[in-house]
Amino acid sequence: NHWVNIYLQKSFDNGLSWTAPVELISKENSTIGQKYWRFVNPEMIKLQNGWVLMSFIGNGNPESNENCHVMVMLSKDNGETWDDPRIIGRGRTWEPMVVQLPNGELELLVASEAAWWQQGVYLAQEILCSRSTDNGETWSAFERAAYSPDRRDGMPVAVALQGNKGILFAIETVDDQGFGSPSLVHRPLNGEWDTNPWNGISTNKRWKVNINGHGGAPYIVQLSTGEIVLVAHTGGRNGIWQTGFPRVAIGNSAGLMFGSPVTPLTRLPENEGAYYNSLFVKDEETIWLLTTHVTFENDVRKKSEIKYLEGKIVK
């Protein structure tokens, strides 16, 4: 029963201890949940006005483009209470994430396979975007933000670059056919996304980041000193992709000139993995790498837990 309901835990002592999980949305215990068979990919952002916005996906039952939804929930009291889920888009989609621009506008990026879902063709995937100018109350129709023909672009994670230098987001490409994964996509604040099909050749609008192996589920943050930190997981061992592990690379304030990637977890047994990593800048001196740590027996998952590894920011 992984990937079924969404839970929230809090820490009041800088992560040393955590509250018991509180159910935010459930397919069993809510009226809206009865229309879905699972809720997945929760991601939170604290907005400039103090609200907390959570974006996530509701997979319909049965699954169709009509009843699979991109959804958001808002909390106006630091996550103590939440309003009802809002459907802001339809279609078979994954991994929504919201970034806030300096002017307060919100942009939600999401991976979508809706155009190919149940069409009897290769299940490609593109990145779509929607925008809100009222702190997530209402949203625009989805439009394309990135596309690689006959490939699966997914798991977008974005930052608004310091100094009004635009928006940058990372993409995983499955079935990359040599293109390389991950890649970074950029647009200026006063421009639009380049929606032309990408041919895998790096340009000033989209370029590759080398992590010495397939880079799955990339996540990026920007430090106060400007550097972009990227993490992505490797492809796995013994035919089980979940036995991959994270690699971290550091680039400049434009997301370029990344140094050689490092491997923070170097002694995982072959039947263990650490994937779906994310990064959290805790303070001026501390960064967290959060990971899903799993143990397998053959191809059966025996254990799954969330862990974090603390790193120090060296100026």
Side-chain angles (χ1 to χ4, degrees), residues 113-189:
E113 56 189 9
W116 301 271
W117 179 244
Q118 297 178 326
Q119 298 298 312
V121 297
Y122 172 79
L123 199 57
Q125 196 165 264
E126 61 186 338
I127 307 300
L128 303 180
C129 70
S130 173
R131 291 166 177 156
S132 172
T133 57
D134 55 9
N135 292 302
E137 300 275 9
T138 60
W139 295 82
S140 68
F142 278 95
E143 298 179 349
R144 177 178 286 175
Y147 172 56
S148 302
D150 300 320
R151 291 166 178 83
R152 289 180 60 82
D153 283 345
M155 308 195 86
V157 174
V159 295
L161 296 175
Q162 297 166 9
N164 295 324
K165 294 181 179 179
I167 309 299
L168 183 73
F169 73 89
I171 303 180
E172 161 194 272
T173 301
V174 179
D175 300 333
D176 66 338
Q177 302 170 40
F179 274 23
S181 179
S183 58
L184 295 177
V185 183
H186 177 265
R187 76 166 176 88
L189 288 178

Side-chain angles (χ1 to χ4, degrees), residues 206-223:
R206 182 170 177 177
W207 57 91
K208 293 174 279 191
V209 179
N210 179 29
I211 68 157
N212 293 338
H214 176 75
Y219 204 99
I220 58 173
V221 294
Q222 187 170 31
L223 304 181

